[in-house]
């Protein structure tokens, strides 16, 4: 397909791996909500259709963030900062590539400042008349240049939005004004520790723990009451409201103004009668009921908690899961009409690692991954069952559904086959799309096979088919070192033991271009499952500008 390409801004605050779960469109607000984990900078892709026009917008320049922000704090705050500087300069071990800001924040991954609503002059082609609304991408973007260790996932959440109306576009970039962002903005430097990068050697780790406790006791910040997340992972429409999410905290409600700006309303607990501190960054919204299904994980029992949010925006009772014996880093899950499916994989959280000066997140090569299946409307975990699935470390769920009158559960997901590289060498990680068929009666996997030999992740579908049997999926093509080089369309109906490649169409990007995860936007009166558009951002490393790519998702190969 011919892509509608637009030169929007020279660069985004890209972060290594991005994860996409889908797009939703609210008929009242006309918001297209994007579930993006982080943002890649990658180069390749083949068109999925031949029917698109080319559009281009004038480039808007975004400036890198200043290294000279003013410290406005008291003598005590300056003393804490001096101790932090000492830890960074004298106690830290030599920085590994995964936590070295000079490596992590280089090139297109460099942080950028906010950009107020800015009209984009169309200089080539036109936007499809049926596209009305806003397109949002969320991803990590540190508001300060790091003084010490920094991981890809440590950045403050920043939303990049295109507002499309009557063939015209406005672009805006805004930080999610989280508690963490606000405290550090007022202080003029970072103070919150990171589970991914702060624990770099025993001496540095212990010093940062003591320093963090001192800051809390001194009233510099209070993470227990106010949270400490960055809301830097995804965006979701839940019960008609728009939220920025990150799995270490509660969601932050955001609002789009009529002039194309983004406002943070505040941290939200969905009117829960039970106190809780976090929500997955990849909730599942039922397109038929408007209900949202979600979970959170913990370092103490119960290590997994499943819950639902009604269409009225109110959270239901918790369903604690005590049958998980260790804390798994569960990033995503799958949902059918009657079940929720969780992957208890080899990426785990071990607090005792802190005593060794290591991050609490690690991989456990001895652990055998499992899938846990629980009834969607259960009141407790009594009917939950687990099955061993060796080698399955789910990154992102494509979709799941039931067949054979509910006797078979089908899960389609991306699998991190090189799990040992997931945290330290994410740029070398290998991901494949798989179909897994589970017998409800026998409580075992009855079939499992790859859907393509390509390295694929960030899969999306037509959101109207969430939790139901669907035919088409779209996924990003990932190249080493961690670059999205294209997008493919898969026909899941071709899946079988005899078919090792369900790709029916693809588009690879031009040389020097790096992409973001794709998202599916259905037509207003879509007759077929693939009747819609596939949209994404693509960055041109040579020209230092980015394009908003719109592709015909229905086009034949």
């Amino acid at each position: 397909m011919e892509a509608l390409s637009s030169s929007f801004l020279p660069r985004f605050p890209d972060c290594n791996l991005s994860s996409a779960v889908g797009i939703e469109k609210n008929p009242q607000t006309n918001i297209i909500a994007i579930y993006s984990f982080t943002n890649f900078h990658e180069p390749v892709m083949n068109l999925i259709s031949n029917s698109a026009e080319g559009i281009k917008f004038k480039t808007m320049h975004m400036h890198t963030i200043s290294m000279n922000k003013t410290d406005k704090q008291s003598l005590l705050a300056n003393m804490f900062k001096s101790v932090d500087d000492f830890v960074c300069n004298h106690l830290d071990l030599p920085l590994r590539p995964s936590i070295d800001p000079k490596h992590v924040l280089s090139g297109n991954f460099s942080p950028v400042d906010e950009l107020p609503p800015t009209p984009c002059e169309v200089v080539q082609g036109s936007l499809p008349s049926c596209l009305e609304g806003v397109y949002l991408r969320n991803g990590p973007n540190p508001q300060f240049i790091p003084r010490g260790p920094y991981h890809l996932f440590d950045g403050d959440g920043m939303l990049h939005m295109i507002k499309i109306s009557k063939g015209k576009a406005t672009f805006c970039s805004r930080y999610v004004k989280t508690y963490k962002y606000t405290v550090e903005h007022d202080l003029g430097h970072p103070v919150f520790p990171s589970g991914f990068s702060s624990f770099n050697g025993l001496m540095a780790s212990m010093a940062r723990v003591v320093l963090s406790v001192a800051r809390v006791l001194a009233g510099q910040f209070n993470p227990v009451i106010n949270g400490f997340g960055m809301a830097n992972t995804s965006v979701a429409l839940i019960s008609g409201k728009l939220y920025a999410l990150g799995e270490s905290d509660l969601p932050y409600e955001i609002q789009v103004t009529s002039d194309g700006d983004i406002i943070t309303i505040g941290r939200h607990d969905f009117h829960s009668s039970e106190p809780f501190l976090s929500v997955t960054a990849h909730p599942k919204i039922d397109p038929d009921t408007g209900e949202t299904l979600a979970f959170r994980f913990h370092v103490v029992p119960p290590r997994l908690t499943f819950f639902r949010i009604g269409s009225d925006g109110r959270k239901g009772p918790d369903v604690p899961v005590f049958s998980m014996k260790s804390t798994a880093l569960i990033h995503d899950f799958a949902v059918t009409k009657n079940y929720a499916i969780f992957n208890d994989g080899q990426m785990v959280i071990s607090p005792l690692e802190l005593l060794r000066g290591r991050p609490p997140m690690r991989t456990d090569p001895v652990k055998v991954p499992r899938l846990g299946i629980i009834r969607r409307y259960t009141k407790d975990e009594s009917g939950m069952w687990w099955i061993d699935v060796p080698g399955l470390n789910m990154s992102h769920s494509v979709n799941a559904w039931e067949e054979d009158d509910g006797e078979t559960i089908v899960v389609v997901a991306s699998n991190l086959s090189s799990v040992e590289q997931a945290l330290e060498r994410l740029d070398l990680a290998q991901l494949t799309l798989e179909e897994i068929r589970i017998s409800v009666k026998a409580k075992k996997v009855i079939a499992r096979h790859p859907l393509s030999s390509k390295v694929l992740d960030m899969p999306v579908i037509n959101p109207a088919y969430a939790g139901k049997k669907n035919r088409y999926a779209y996924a990003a093509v990932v190249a080493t070192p961690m670059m999205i080089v294209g997008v493919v369309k898969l026909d899941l109906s071709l899946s079988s033991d005899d078919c090792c490649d369900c790709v029916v169409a693809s588009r690879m990007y031009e040389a020097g271009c790096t992409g973001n995860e794709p998202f599916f936007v259905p037509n207003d009166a879509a007759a077929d499952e693939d009747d819609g558009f596939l949209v994404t951002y693509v960055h041109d490393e040579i020209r230092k500008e980015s394009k908003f790519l719109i592709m015909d998702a229905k086009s034949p190969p």
Side-chain angles (χ1 to χ4, degrees):
M1 72 194 182
E2 288 301 326
L4 311 177
S5 65
S6 48
S7 302
F8 243 179
L9 57 156
R11 59 184 177 184
F12 302 119
D14 283 286
C15 316
N16 276 194
L17 204 145
S18 65
S19 80
V21 174
I23 276 191
E24 299 191 352
K25 193 169 182 181
N26 185 318
Q28 280 75 45
T29 59
N30 219 23
I31 291 174
I32 298 172
I34 302 173
Y35 297 66
S36 63
F37 183 49
T38 60
N39 177 276
F40 272 96
H41 79 299
E42 309 67 25
V44 261
M45 167 164 183
N46 271 354
L47 243 105
I48 293 184
S49 145
N50 300 317
S51 61
E53 312 167 26
I55 59 172
K56 205 167 189 179
F57 299 106
K58 281 187 176 178
T59 300
M60 300 183 299
H61 294 280
M62 297 178 69
H63 303 284
T64 55
I65 62 176
S66 171
M67 297 180 64
N68 299 310
K69 293 198 174 183
T70 304
D71 190 290
K72 300 172 284 186
Q73 284 303 301
S74 65
L75 179 62
L76 183 61
N78 286 328
M79 184 185 74
F80 287 150
K81 182 176 181 295
S82 297
V83 174
D84 201 3
D85 289 339
F86 177 83
V87 175
C88 294
N89 295 331
H90 301 288
L91 299 184
D92 268 317
L93 295 178
L95 300 183
R96 309 181 302 277
S98 61
I99 58 171
D100 185 350
K102 294 180 181 177
H103 174 76
V104 175
L105 296 176
S106 62
N108 190 43
F109 293 78
S110 301
V112 294
D113 266 329
E114 291 185 316
L115 186 75
T118 305
C120 304
E121 182 181 349
V122 178
V123 295
Q124 178 184 334
S126 61
L127 284 161
S129 59
C130 62
L131 283 184
E132 289 276 329
V134 301
Y135 174 92
L136 282 158
R137 187 200 69 81
N138 191 1
N141 181 61
Q143 64 171 316
F144 300 104
I145 299 297
R147 302 194 304 273
Y150 175 88
H151 190 274
L152 183 67
F153 304 150
D154 287 346
D156 301 281
M158 177 174 270
L159 301 169
H160 301 280
M161 183 182 75
I162 298 171
K163 185 175 185 292
I164 301 171
S165 179
K166 298 179 181 179
K168 296 182 179 180
T170 301
F171 185 85
C172 178
S173 289
R174 293 294 190 194
Y175 280 107
V176 183
K177 304 306 191 293
T178 63
Y179 175 68
K180 173 186 179 297
Y181 171 90
T182 303
V183 168
E184 294 183 339
H185 185 268
D186 290 343
L187 287 169
H189 58 269
V191 296
F192 282 68
S194 161
F196 288 99
S197 61
S198 292
F199 304 98
N200 180 40
L202 184 59
M203 294 297 293
S205 300
M206 295 302 101
R208 288 195 173 99
V209 169
V210 172
L211 181 58
S212 296
V213 171
R215 281 171 161 160
V216 171
L217 294 176
Q220 200 169 61
F221 65 91
N222 191 332
V224 176
I225 294 176
N226 300 302
F228 54 87
M230 296 153 286
N232 64 2
T233 304
S234 66
V235 179
L237 273 170
I238 300 175
S239 307
K241 293 184 178 180
L242 188 61
Y243 296 91
L245 302 96
E247 55 204 9
S248 62
D249 204 344
L250 296 178
Y252 276 79
E253 184 182 350
I254 57 176
Q255 199 172 82
V256 175
T257 67
S258 58
D259 63 348
D261 210 339
I262 307 168
I263 299 172
T264 301
I265 304 299
R267 195 164 172 255
H268 203 292
D269 68 354
F270 303 102
H271 313 285
S272 175
S273 59
E274 305 167 298
F276 69 112
L277 299 176
S278 63
V279 176
T280 174
H282 293 301
K284 306 300 181 190
I285 293 87
D286 189 311
D288 296 329
T289 66
E291 180 183 49
T292 299
L293 293 94
F295 70 92
R296 61 187 184 273
F297 55 79
H298 322 263
V299 295
V300 295
R303 290 186 166 86
L304 176 66
T305 300
F306 173 54
F307 59 93
R308 299 180 299 277
I309 300 169
S311 58
D312 60 356
R314 292 187 173 274
K315 177 183 170 295
D318 282 342
V319 179
V321 176
F322 291 92
S323 52
M324 278 187 63
K325 303 307 179 185
S326 62
T327 302
L329 272 169
I330 304 177
H331 180 61
D332 200 357
F333 73 131
V335 170
T336 70
K337 180 180 179 181
N338 294 298
Y339 300 98
I341 302 100
F342 297 93
N343 181 209
D344 181 11
Q346 293 172 297
M347 286 188 290
V348 299
I349 299 179
S350 300
L352 291 179
E353 291 293 304
L354 300 179
L355 300 178
R356 302 177 183 176
R358 301 173 184 172
M361 284 74 70
R362 66 179 181 89
T363 57
D364 183 353
V366 178
K367 181 180 179 181
V368 177
R370 305 185 298 168
L371 284 178
I373 294 91
I374 190 170
R375 282 277 178 180
R376 181 165 158 172
Y377 294 104
T378 188
K379 294 182 179 179
D380 56 51
E381 68 162 328
S382 57
M384 188 173 190
W385 42 283
W386 295 88
I387 50 177
D388 289 348
V389 190
L392 179 64
N393 290 284
M394 185 189 298
S395 173
H396 298 107
S397 166
V398 181
N399 198 19
W401 62 86
E402 299 162 32
E403 294 182 357
D404 307 321
D405 295 324
E407 288 300 316
T408 302
I409 297 173
V410 182
V411 178
V412 180
S414 61
N415 178 29
L416 188 61
S417 54
S418 54
V419 66
E420 68 281 356
Q421 297 170 334
L423 297 174
E424 285 299 318
R425 292 307 308 269
L426 193 57
D427 55 328
L428 302 178
Q430 299 289 303
L431 299 119
T432 57
L433 285 188
E434 292 190 15
E435 179 185 280
I436 303 143
R437 305 182 75 86
I438 303 164
S439 169
V440 174
K441 183 177 182 180
K443 292 181 170 49
K444 68 177 184 179
V445 172
I446 54 177
R448 178 184 172 190
H449 48 262
L451 298 172
S452 175
S453 59
K454 294 179 172 62
V455 179
L456 304 174
D457 196 18
M458 284 72 72
V460 292
I461 63 170
N462 184 330
Y465 288 79
K468 309 172 197 174
K469 184 174 182 178
N470 70 297
R471 179 175 178 180
Y472 298 108
Y474 305 86
V477 182
V478 185
T480 302
M482 207 166 70
M483 298 174 66
I484 292 181
V485 296
V487 67
V488 297
K489 178 180 182 179
L490 299 103
D491 185 344
L492 303 181
S493 69
L494 301 176
S495 175
S496 69
D497 291 334
D498 299 324
C499 178
C500 62
D501 198 344
C502 297
V503 173
V504 294
S506 62
R507 173 179 173 83
M508 307 307 291
Y509 303 137
E510 299 174 2
C513 292
T514 62
N516 196 56
E517 67 267 37
F519 295 99
F520 185 93
V521 184
N523 278 334
D524 291 334
D528 299 315
E529 180 186 334
D530 60 345
D531 185 4
F533 297 96
L534 206 65
V535 296
T536 189
Y537 289 125
V538 177
H539 179 71
D540 189 325
E541 294 279 9
I542 299 173
R543 297 181 180 178
K544 303 301 180 186
E545 65 182 23
S546 292
K547 300 175 182 179
F548 177 49
L549 204 64
I550 304 174
M551 296 164 279
D552 182 355
K554 191 177 178 62
S555 63

